[in-house]
Amino acid sequence: MSTSANKFNKILFTILKRNGLKYTKQREQILNTFLSLKGHTSVDTLYEILRKTNPSIGYATVHRSLKLFNKIGIVEMVKVGNQKALYEHKDKNRHHDHLVCVKCGNFTEITSDELENLQKRIASRNNFQIIDHKLIVYGICRKCKNKR
Amino acid sequence: MSTSANKFNKILFTILKRNGLKYTKQREQILNTFLSLKGHTSVDTLYEILRKTNPSIGYATVHRSLKLFNKIGIVEMVKVGNQKALYEHKDKNRHHDHLVCVKCGNFTEITSDELENLQKRIASRNNFQIIDHKLIVYGICRKCKNKR
DNA sequence: AGTGAAATTGATAATTATTATCAATAATAC
DNA sequence: GTATTATTGATAATAATTATCAATTTCACT
Ligand SMILES: [Mn+2]
Ligand SMILES: [Mn+2]
Ligand SMILES: [Zn+2]
Ligand SMILES: [Zn+2]
């Protein structure tokens, strides 16, 4: 097991304990495998990958765990319309949002301090205590624009 | 039938025709009843209201029509997580976004030219042609903050 | 290390929102 | 008015997510 995996496992252990949850080998596996991937991963995809090394893992467990990881703040979730949830790594200290192409479904990631600050201003103006936000910009990506 | 309803009906007729769609009395009823309401309306709510005056109207028709109205650009749709879609009036020339309270579910509407412009800049920087966008800020509203 | 309370797992059923099907009906172009 | 084509309403199907529950595992405490 790699050093970085060990690091993540310790973090996982700590956060689970803090939330009164148990550290299980499934949760460890799910998180480590998830973190070994990049981009936007669905439960199905992760499940298929996991069962190669652990054929007895349950779909529900993968689903529950990703949802849980999101809830306790260690992974990010993005949902577009009624499509199935996608999970992605949580970038420490830099939130990102998405440009989603309605033609090809591609995600472009964007970060903007201006956007973050603007939201803070709008929220405080409304006496609203921000927990999180999700911005999705729908449109046509560079590639698809050039395809005509 | 009121003058304003007649006006909307003409607009509806024009837009439907432009899209090669038919003007039906169900669509007329659904749009007019929808427009008589304010706030964020679910299919279920609208359906229950509609069947009081037209007991034979179908749920699927209401669902399809709202979806269609959104598609052809005459009503707005907002979806929070896996909850059922909510529909709302389309404010002419001013898009709005939402602050959603995670405690009480309340929606606060926000408009911001700054936000609109910022998105345009981000999009053009990425060579992305914006069609639409949805921003949802999750947090705790004024009311719920004071409740403790 | 052993014990017991409590949480988790895996298989699967249930739920929920949404979409598809299709025969009957209605709208529109001619 | 007729033919063509879209829409409707009832209902089935789909798809994503969540609930159920007996068996298993974790973990705090000896
Ligand atoms: Mn992303
Ligand atoms: Mn609104
Ligand atoms: Zn594209
Ligand atoms: Zn609230």
Side-chain angles (χ1 to χ4, degrees):
Chain A
M1 182 177 294
S2 80
T3 318
S4 76
N6 274 317
K7 191 185 72 181
F8 286 130
N9 293 345
K10 282 196 186 97
I11 294 172
L12 177 61
F13 183 82
T14 306
I15 296 178
L16 287 173
K17 177 168 262 183
R18 181 190 306 151
N19 289 79
L21 300 166
K22 289 177 175 170
Y23 186 86
T24 67
K25 73 173 188 308
Q26 286 90 339
R27 283 174 180 168
E28 177 188 304
Q29 259 180 72
I30 291 165
L31 184 61
N32 287 330
T33 303
F34 171 75
L35 291 176
S36 77
L37 306 172
K38 56 184 177 185
H40 306 87
T41 309
S42 69
V43 174
D44 297 47
T45 301
L46 186 57
Y47 172 63
E48 287 308 327
I49 292 169
L50 279 160
R51 57 194 312 209
K52 286 178 189 163
T53 54
N54 178 5
S56 69
I57 201 161
Y59 181 81
T61 302
V62 180
H63 209 297
R64 273 187 297 231
S65 298
L66 286 174
K67 201 177 170 185
L68 177 72
F69 295 160
N70 173 243
K71 189 175 173 190
I72 64 181
I74 59 183
V75 315
E76 207 61 60
M77 173 177 131
V78 48
K79 243 190 102 75
V80 178
N82 300 320
Q83 293 172 250
K84 57 187 62 162
L86 296 175
Y87 294 88
E88 62 182 336
H89 296 194
K90 182 154 207 158
D91 315 328
K92 276 277 170 281
N93 63 37
R94 79 174 74 179
H95 177 90
H96 75 258
D97 288 294
H98 298 97
L99 311 180
V100 178
C101 179
V102 299
K103 294 285 181 196
C104 69
N106 198 270
F107 284 49
T108 306
E109 309 200 324
I110 56 170
T111 60
S112 167
D113 290 341
E114 259 190 284
L115 180 59
E116 306 298 315
N117 292 331
L118 177 54
Q119 284 180 51
K120 282 178 196 153
R121 264 177 285 144
I122 292 172
S124 82
R125 188 185 307 153
N126 286 276
N127 228 303
F128 187 89
Q129 182 186 326
I130 296 184
I131 292 173
D132 193 13
H133 75 263
K134 294 191 189 300
L135 168 66
I136 300 186
V137 181
Y138 298 91
I140 299 172
C141 76
R142 188 178 46 74
K143 271 190 175 177
C144 290
K145 257 203 300 191
N146 295 335
K147 255 185 226 158
R148 54 175 53 238
Chain B
M1 183 177 294
S2 81
T3 317
S4 75
N6 274 319
K7 189 184 72 180
F8 286 130
N9 294 346
K10 281 196 186 98
I11 295 172
L12 177 61
F13 183 82
T14 305
I15 297 178
L16 288 173
K17 178 168 262 184
R18 181 190 307 150
N19 289 79
L21 301 166
K22 288 175 177 172
Y23 185 87
T24 67
K25 72 173 189 306
Q26 286 90 340
R27 284 174 179 166
E28 176 189 304
Q29 260 179 73
I30 291 166
L31 184 61
N32 287 330
T33 304
F34 171 75
L35 290 177
S36 76
L37 306 171
K38 55 185 179 187
H40 306 87
T41 309
S42 69
V43 174
D44 297 46
T45 301
L46 185 57
Y47 173 63
E48 287 308 328
I49 293 168
L50 279 160
R51 57 193 312 207
K52 286 178 190 162
T53 53
N54 178 4
S56 68
I57 201 161
Y59 181 81
T61 301
V62 179
H63 208 296
R64 275 188 297 230
S65 298
L66 285 173
K67 200 176 171 187
L68 176 72
F69 294 161
N70 174 243
K71 189 174 172 192
I72 64 181
I74 58 182
V75 314
E76 207 61 61
M77 174 177 128
V78 49
K79 244 190 101 78
V80 178
N82 299 321
Q83 294 173 251
K84 58 186 61 164
L86 296 175
Y87 293 88
E88 62 182 336
H89 295 194
K90 183 154 208 159
D91 314 328
K92 275 279 170 279
N93 63 38
R94 79 174 75 179
H95 177 90
H96 75 258
D97 287 296
H98 298 97
L99 311 179
V100 178
C101 179
V102 299
K103 295 285 182 198
C104 69
N106 198 269
F107 284 49
T108 306
E109 309 200 325
I110 55 170
T111 60
S112 167
D113 289 341
E114 259 189 285
L115 180 59
E116 306 297 316
N117 292 331
L118 176 53
Q119 284 180 51
K120 282 177 195 153
R121 264 178 285 144
I122 293 172
S124 81
R125 189 185 306 152
N126 286 276
N127 226 304
F128 187 89
Q129 182 187 327
I130 296 184
I131 292 173
D132 193 12
H133 75 262
K134 294 191 190 299
L135 168 66
I136 299 185
V137 182
Y138 297 90
I140 299 171
C141 76
R142 188 178 46 74
K143 271 192 175 175
C144 291
K145 258 203 299 191
N146 296 335
K147 254 186 227 157
R148 51 175 56 239

